[in-house]
Amino acid sequence: MRRKSNDVKAHVEKFFVLLKNYPDSTDSALVFVRFLRSFLRGCSQPEILPTIEIMTLLKEHKPIAFHSMRKLSERDDLLAFLTGLSMSPQEAENKLQAIYESREYKTKKSS
């Protein structure tokens, strides 16, 4: 279980690096799509993946890239599903920051 939590942390770290280093442009959309596919493949069950949090911050911090992803989603059901996910940006930031800083990360949904 420890290894899987580390996988999630590594992907969250990579996501923060991508947010910082790639501009908010249509060209960046493909970088984020590749990341999402890698993220979903690289992390396996029973881990609860912070997918909603990632999509929320992507929409919040890279709106042009996110809009381009929505256009791409017309031909990709998985991407259409992912771009439809959202939550409170502050809550998403807090959850991802907790994973990034290695604070306790629950692998089960809280009630």
Side-chain angles (χ1 to χ4, degrees):
M1 186 63 102
R2 168 63 97 194
R3 185 180 182 289
K4 291 180 196 261
S5 292
N6 288 336
D7 288 347
V8 172
K9 181 182 177 194
H11 279 90
V12 169
E13 288 175 2
K14 183 174 182 177
F15 176 69
F16 280 136
V17 168
L18 293 175
L19 276 182
K20 181 180 177 183
N21 293 329
Y22 281 87
D24 185 18
S25 69
T26 56
D27 293 336
S28 296
L30 292 176
V31 172
F32 288 106
V33 168
R34 278 190 300 249
F35 164 77
L36 287 169
R37 292 190 189 288
S38 170
F39 171 70
L40 293 172
R41 262 193 320 266
C43 300
S44 58
Q45 301 295 334
E47 204 70 38
I48 301 294
L49 300 177
T51 310
I52 298 172
E53 290 85 347
I54 285 175
M55 295 309 297
T56 299
L57 290 188
L58 186 57
K59 183 178 181 180
E60 183 79 11
H61 295 287
K62 304 291 183 189
I64 295 170
F66 186 84
H67 180 70
S68 294
M69 289 172 64
R70 283 189 84 94
K71 284 187 176 184
L72 292 171
S73 75
E74 292 171 1
R75 293 171 278 159
D76 184 330
D77 290 338
L78 177 62
L79 196 54
F81 174 76
L82 292 173
T83 56
L85 299 173
S86 69
M87 65 186 293
S88 157
Q90 187 60 48
E91 188 178 343
E93 179 81 33
N94 291 343
K95 286 183 179 182
L96 288 178
Q97 199 64 40
I99 295 168
Y100 179 74
E101 294 173 359
S102 296
R103 293 193 305 248
E104 185 176 329
Y105 173 60
K106 296 183 182 193
T107 58
K108 293 187 179 186
K109 246 183 166 174
S110 56
S111 301

